[in-house]
Amino acid sequence: MKKGDISKFSENMAAIGHFMKLAHQIHPGYTPLAMATALSGAAFPFLNLIMSRYLLNELVGEKSIDRLILYVGILVIGNAFLEIVSSILDRNLQMAGEKLADGFELHVGVHIMHMDFEKLEDAKVLDMKEKALFNIKLHDALLGGPRTIVDIFRLFFILAGVMGMIAVLSPMLIVVMFLLIGINAFIYSRIQTTKFKFYKDIAVYNRQFAYFQNLTQNFENAKDIRIYNMAGYIIGRINHFHNCAGQIFNRMFLKQRRHDGFTAVDIQAQTLAAYGFAVWSVLQGKIMIGDFTMYISAANQFSSAATQLMAKLVDLQMLGRVLQDYLAFEQLPCQSSSGSRKIASVDSATIEYRNVWFKYPNAEDYSLKNISLTIQSGKKLSIVGQNGAGKTTLIKLLCRLYRPDKGCILLNGTDINEFEEAEYSRVLSVIFQDYKIFSFSVKENLAFFQKADEERLRTSLEKAGILKRVEELPSGADTPLNKNFDKEGIELSGGEMQKIAIARVLYKNAPLVVLDEPTASLDPYSEYEVYAGFHQLSEGKTTIYISHRLSSCRFCDAIAVLDNGELVEYGNHEQLVRAEGLYAKMWNAQAQYYQKSVISHQKRPFFRN
């Protein structure tokens, strides 16, 4: 074996070892149960081999009825007992395997949830995740791996037993059969190498095919497909992938048929060696006919078990290759070291950006350049700018989803990265542009894992203008949203979902509130009403509004104007309009909408039940 092959084998076995250790952590009882199942499965051939020998020898010998009844009884009762035990163990092992697979899935999910957010937006990390999970699912590694190891244990026990039986007849026969089986194992390893290469080649086409297949089955695409007459194009692309995949299949099957032919010849050679030696032993008077039957059956069991064992070991080696990708993803570091400081009080929140520079991973240009600004506790700041100006990036840094490359962000004079993760999250309440309402109950969407304060819950829903609608639901605030888990779940409108998100912010009652363009999908009139209503509800809190439209600016104590990652203007609305800079140009371009919105808002408040 070459040095490189030894290294790869070592890496693959290390991956298998890690996999088994992880399996034990997830389900400690799985390995003992697997061993017991393997032992029970291995006992069948020995019972039948040994008792068949005694029966045949008795039939051609003394023909004692008592012994014949005894042997038949042992054979029948023994098989029945082993069948019952194996059935129970197999069922329990299958259930344990399902729990193990669920545990692996959860393990991956926990790993992803604890990874630094910046990694989740890194294209290289996303590719690693897709590659790892795609290979795991393609090869059924989560359940296929443990099943392969159970089979290896079972075959090893069978092999050890029949080797002892055959060795009584001739140790040389075992040597000859091992040589033939070694040839078979080599052929099988070549087959698996061909398959592994095939899976790598076909993976790209599988992903592309899955995308276009999803287009045909997703109802959300129906309108565009019909309007733009895309059906023919999509079917054409699917047929193209079918043809490309078919060519790869043909090459793989051609090689596999050639390998299968060599394997068949080798198996016949093993059978010939076993029968030839057993027949010669009978003719020489060394064994009786019952012994002949037992040795032939044992030789067949040996050949079959050894061949399968070699194949399973090759499968295990291939599984190690697959798990390499999984292991590489799993070993990506999770959350960066967090601070240890506590926050003495969450009643106030003064935020200072001090000479902050930041660029995204693998990016060449900085998204933020030397940003310095201060938001006094209880004040309101609007951050505006065109798309790509750096507004949301500023908030991601504040939320500690990323860390500045240079400079720092301070909370009440302390670098935010010095605080414990959980401590710092108490200060923040954020509504992102793509805010999420989960398929939980209304109450759980506000309180999450904490026991809900009923009075606070009611007040938050009332202030957000959604209390009356919630009270009309079948189970009030305990009514599940959406139908993912409950067919009685309620589908709320987009506006109602938005009010639930606002109620969530009010319920948390954090001193620092951020609205990161949650109204981007609304028209300017509706957007203005949302900000006007929220302005009333967030009195006394440090509030940051993010928008490329300017409806929030009239309510704010200060406005920060970003352009190409730089803070180009700072002041209140009147000051920036008089300065006739970028803000004034943006305001004048949009002012007609907000003048009408002010009149509309004066006639009817937004937040009402």
Side-chain angles (χ1 to χ4, degrees), residues 244-263:
C244 293
Q247 293 174 11
I248 297 174
F249 272 108
N250 287 336
R251 290 196 298 270
M252 194 268 292
F253 287 145
L254 183 62
K255 291 181 179 179
Q256 186 168 346
R257 283 196 297 270
R258 188 161 57 244
H259 290 143
D260 288 344
F262 289 132
T263 300

Side-chain angles (χ1 to χ4, degrees), residues 342-366:
K342 300 287 186 180
I343 297 177
S345 172
V346 293
D347 295 332
S348 63
T350 294
I351 300 297
E352 180 185 357
Y353 288 80
R354 184 180 293 175
N355 306 118
V356 170
W357 292 74
F358 175 77
K359 64 180 176 181
Y360 286 96
N362 306 315
E364 295 182 2
D365 299 325
Y366 280 96

Side-chain angles (χ1 to χ4, degrees), residues 105 107-113 115 119-138 207 322-332:
E105 295 280 2
H107 177 75
V108 174
V110 169
H111 179 64
I112 292 173
M113 286 191 292
M115 287 175 64
K119 290 187 175 67
L120 304 183
E121 293 190 334
D122 188 333
K124 291 182 179 179
V125 174
L126 293 177
D127 286 345
M128 288 179 68
K129 185 196 82 166
E130 290 301 320
K131 188 177 180 182
L133 299 186
F134 177 78
N135 281 338
I136 285 288
K137 292 175 181 177
L138 178 66
R207 287 194 293 270
V322 173
L323 292 175
Q324 287 291 332
D325 292 330
Y326 170 79
L327 196 57
F329 174 70
E330 189 197 68
Q331 289 178 342
L332 285 171

Side-chain angles (χ1 to χ4, degrees), residues 29 58 62 121 154 175 281 320 369 420 480 483 602:
E58 192 64 39
E62 297 180 9
E121 293 190 334
R154 178 179 59 81
V175 174
S281 297
K369 306 165 188 175
E420 286 184 358
K483 300 181 184 296
Q602 290 172 346

